[in-house]
Amino acid sequence: MSSTRREEAPSPEVSEHGLKSDAIGFRDALIIGIASTAPAYSLAAVIGLVVVTVGVQAPAVLFASFVPMFFVATAFYYMNRADQDCGTTFSWVTRAMGPWPGWIGGWAICVTGILVVGSLADVAARYTYLFLGLDGAAGSKVAITLFAVVIIVAMTAVCVVGTELSARIQDVMIIAQVGALLLFAVVALARVFGGTAPEESLAPRASWFSPFAVPDASALIGGLLIGVFIYWGWESSVNLTEETENSESAPGLAAVASTVILLVTYLSVTTAVVAFAGVGTAREFADDDAILSTVATGVLGSPWDGLVVLAVLTSALASTQTTILPASRTVLSMARAGAMPASLGRTHPRFLTPHISTIVVGTLAIVWYVPLNFVSENFLFDTLSALSLMIAFYYALTGFACAIYYRHELLKSAKNFLFIGVAPVLGSLMLAYLFFRSMVDLANPGASYTGGSVFGLGVPLVIGLGFLLLGAIFMVLWRLGGHERFFGRRPEVAHPGATEGPLAQRETVGAPPEGD
């Protein structure tokens, strides 16, 4: 659409869900996809644990974790070509597999967002205090919790005001975190190869990047369970599909590209940390996200090490905001489809954003975070462990849905067979295996940060399966209340040539029926 047309238009174009069309472009969607993973914080949180699990093969584990993410990202790309619905997994799985799996897939997206937002805001609050030199506040649970709530409220407000504002804020924060991470990695590796690193430093080897070099298969699987979590979030760009220019291709391409950029970032930083600090030092930070800031002091010196602290801060802050986006859009889509109360499907008349669902997501995130943080901080850590179950669950559903929906198109070309059939199914099978393997590992009370158990099962497993079971109960209750419009849907199949056309579906699952 030309700039002249924009100036002459009395009002912005609106999508089926009442969202502002063409609010952001490909670059904005890409940045939001990267920011949603909180790359700096994710690395700080898991590098030590991955090194404990697999040693110098930590880069290999992060590379192996990338494979199912990339494969499932192709499913997001092709499903978005068929159906530009902000509900993503909810809408697509409903089309391909029916309303029941579609509903529970949408529920998993909503729950993951609500459960993790508080933890992200908590990290942002603590690192803000550290960056400002307010060590006393950084050690005060009350000060951190209050500031975290302020952050959640502020980021919720930003999401309500508009997608363009969200994108502009992310533009600034992504430079702060990715730029600082890459600077850290380059300087660290330069000092290792230049001979100015500490005695415990190690020269990187090719075997560090090979998953097959990990001697213990169980260790590799354990590392994959950790690695999958740090890639989670790249699909946020696709949740903004109705608000993105070239919505049938740009959001999906942004999702695929973001996984590749994350891979490069993760491998660079992880290799730099292991090479510069050595395995022994990295292992000391198995449960401490201060590893990056600590190693950065040795690499960059003061005050430049503050850039890495700033990177973790902005990473958590940016992800607090971008994590609200997919949860709120999924709620909006489900409400408009008749799968949730219709009031949740309202959009703001001025801002053209799902203000009701956004406020609900932000409020529930606070309700979950505040009391649990005061009762037991370890319980929040167990919540993060439980997220791996729901992440693997809805990603796997999406991959299977892609192959099922396009099943009549798979044999029409080698490209279709590989990228719409083989890749999504392989990615989903890998994630399904990790889902069940994670259930086994999390069932052990010893794997819980709290050390507690419920019915003899570890707390993370109870949280993960408990919320999926709660979703199933809500789904059944919603069905018993009627709602034939949604539950009466039947699985669909892509029309001939859908993989080549610019738009395969005119009406999305979450759109109101014609005549509304």
Side-chain angles (χ1 to χ4, degrees), residues 177-197:
Q177 60 176 301
V178 175
L181 287 176
L182 293 180
L183 173 65
F184 163 79
V186 169
V187 174
L189 291 173
R191 292 191 58 183
V192 169
F193 288 112
T196 61

Side-chain angles (χ1 to χ4, degrees), residues 343-369:
S343 59
L344 295 174
R346 294 168 55 191
T347 52
H348 196 281
R350 176 185 173 189
F351 301 128
L352 300 180
T353 56
H355 62 300
I356 300 298
S357 62
T358 300
I359 293 171
V360 168
V361 168
T363 301
L364 290 177
I366 293 173
V367 170
W368 174 261
Y369 162 70

Side-chain angles (χ1 to χ4, degrees), residues 6-72:
R6 285 183 185 273
E7 293 173 359
E8 294 175 351
S11 61
E13 290 194 7
V14 179
S15 75
E16 288 175 302
H17 289 116
L19 303 171
K20 184 177 180 180
S21 299
D22 298 339
I24 61 174
F26 169 79
R27 181 177 65 87
D28 299 317
L30 175 63
I31 288 173
I32 288 174
I34 297 172
S36 293
T37 65
Y41 167 63
S42 296
L43 280 168
V46 307
I47 286 180
L49 190 55
V50 173
V51 172
V52 167
T53 306
V54 296
V56 294
Q57 267 74 45
V61 164
L62 298 188
F63 174 73
S65 303
F66 158 79
V67 175
M69 293 294 103
F70 181 77
F71 284 172
V72 171

Side-chain angles (χ1 to χ4, degrees), residues 408-419:
H408 294 163
E409 306 296 307
L410 298 182
L411 300 181
K412 291 186 177 180
S413 71
K415 177 184 175 183
N416 287 3
F417 182 71
L418 291 175
F419 291 104

